[in-house]
Amino acid sequence: MEAENQTEVSVFLLQGLSDDPELQPLLFGMFLSMYLVTVLGNLLIILAVSSDSHLHTPMYFFLSNLSFVDICFISTTVPKMLVNIQECSKGISYIECLIQVYFFMIFAGMDDFLLTVMAYDWFVAICHPLHYTVIMNPRLCVLLVLSCWLALFWVSLIHILLVRRLTFCTGTEIPHFFCELAQILKAACSDTLINNICLYVATALLCVFPLTGILFSYSQIVSSLMRMSSSEGKYKAFSTCGSHLSVVCLFYGTSLGVYLTSAVTHSSQRSSIASVMYTVVTPMLNPFIYSLRNKDVKGALQRFLSRATSWP
């Protein structure tokens, strides 16, 4: 096979989480259960927010978008893994792999940006409450979300176009349960310097800057709360921000754990297992965190479920 047309017919091999045949049924059942719980939980959040007029506010607009992104995020990786386990296969076509990389980067980036926008929303609500409705108007909220989608579409497309110029050897193995861009670059047979530079720049843009924005917003929030004289007001504000802060810590904590694990250990299997935390577990826990800690969401869910059960 010629090097220049290897990419046209290549089939990558995903090593997955384990090669033990006895573990495959357990992995299939576990990930299928987590996938269904994630889709159902986030779908209920979207339906509850959209059906309750009391929740038609910027905060819940961003929350419903986050739930939609989480459904798409987990759907990018888990269904293909389940199919491979069911068929006792490790293969993923070159085109399927590129599509997976493209959408994975979009939805992972949207998670970052939405958490940042939600932190800014809390910042305006707590630090500038009198101007909140003017600043966080519906037009700005929609514009923020659309801008994030548009930016990520182009950033991900640039990465895909750069990967298209690379060549791969026949039977290339990817030590992961999905096509991750960093692992694909390591498996390439050609020079990946430009790809790696763009990857580092994208990581800074999509991770470091949003996290900096979140930290700045919460520093201002804490500073504003410390100046409050009412202890009841402080408790209410802290409890309101608690759900979002829990999700931020879960998402960034698990993501950081993955990179620390890959830096400390050379075991690709351990790194893959660590990746399960932010690619599967975090989207699954998000609706529980918001519904259990938020009275408005719990009330909206109860009203929606009562209407659904009483529907003739």
Side-chain angles (χ1 to χ4, degrees), residues 218-230:
Y218 272 102
S219 68
Q220 297 299 308
I221 289 172
V222 171
S223 176
S224 179
L225 292 179
M226 290 299 101
R227 293 194 296 267
M228 280 188 180
S229 57
S230 171

Side-chain angles (χ1 to χ4, degrees), residues 134-145:
V134 176
I135 297 174
M136 299 303 296
N137 58 77
R139 182 179 179 182
L140 177 64
C141 295
V142 173
L143 184 62
L144 286 172
V145 173

